[in-house]
Amino acid sequence: MVTGYFLLPLDHLGPHRPVLSWTLFVASLTLIALLLLRQVTDVVVARRGARPGLVIPLLMALSVLVFAAAYFGLAKRPGEFVGLGTRLDALYFTMVTLATLGFGDITPRGQAARLVTMLQILYNFVFLTAAATSLTRYARDRVGGRRERQGD
C-alpha cells in the first residue's frame, strides 16, 4: 500500500480539481470507516469466519495513506501548509498527527488544511481507536481460547 501511495498519480488531484479531490477523499474515508465498523461489529459479536487480525491493520494503514494523500494534494495550494512539500512530508505529518506528537515543523495554515487535520483527529479518536480496541480484544480472545483448549 505504501508503494502504491508513492506511485499513484496524485498530481491529478489537488487545487486544480477540487470537486474530484474532495469527493475521492470523503468517499474513501467513508468506505474505510464502514469497513472498520463492520470489523468492529464482527469482533463484538464474535462472528465466525471474520478475519479482523488481517483486515483491521490493513484498513488502518489505508486510512493513514488517504489522509497523507489529502495533505499532499492540499499542500499544492499556496498558504495551506508550511513545511509540507513532498509525499514523504505528507505521510510524516499524518503519522505525527496520528501519534498526537505535533512537532511543529509542518503546520496547517489554511482553512482547508486545518479542516482536514481536525477531521483526521476525529477519525483517529472514533474509528481508529475503536478498531485498535477491537483488534486487541480479538487477539486477547484468541490467546485466551488457545489457553483454554490447552488446559483441557
Side-chain angles (χ1 to χ4, degrees):
M1 280 192 294
V2 174
T3 301
Y5 164 74
F6 281 101
L7 295 177
L8 282 173
L10 298 177
D11 296 329
H12 299 294
L13 301 173
H16 56 284
R17 289 195 171 148
V19 173
L20 176 63
S21 299
W22 283 105
T23 302
L24 282 174
F25 174 67
V26 170
S28 298
L29 284 182
T30 301
L31 178 61
I32 294 167
L34 291 172
L35 292 171
L36 280 171
L37 288 175
R38 169 72 190 258
Q39 293 299 311
V40 168
T41 302
D42 288 349
V43 170
V44 170
V45 300
R47 187 175 70 85
R48 290 201 168 276
R51 311 258 333 197
L54 173 67
V55 178
I56 289 175
L58 290 173
L59 291 172
M60 291 173 77
L62 187 57
S63 68
V64 167
L65 295 174
V66 167
F67 276 106
Y71 292 136
F72 180 68
L74 283 170
K76 294 176 187 173
R77 189 169 159 199
E80 288 295 335
F81 278 98
V82 172
L84 196 157
T86 67
R87 290 177 196 231
L88 186 59
D89 290 341
L91 185 55
Y92 162 79
F93 179 73
T94 305
M95 295 300 294
V96 167
T97 303
L98 175 65
T100 67
L101 294 174
F103 292 127
D105 53 342
I106 298 175
T107 54
R109 293 286 170 101
Q111 296 302 297
R114 289 178 177 179
L115 173 65
V116 173
T117 303
M118 288 187 303
L119 287 174
Q120 184 191 351
I121 292 166
L122 288 171
Y123 196 90
N124 295 346
F125 283 148
V126 175
F127 297 105
L128 297 188
T129 300
T133 302
S134 294
L135 188 58
T136 302
R137 177 179 176 176
Y138 173 76
R140 186 188 65 230
D141 291 349
R142 295 276 308 215
V143 170
R146 284 191 191 130
R147 285 186 187 149
E148 288 174 9
R149 285 191 300 271
Q150 290 172 352
D152 291 340

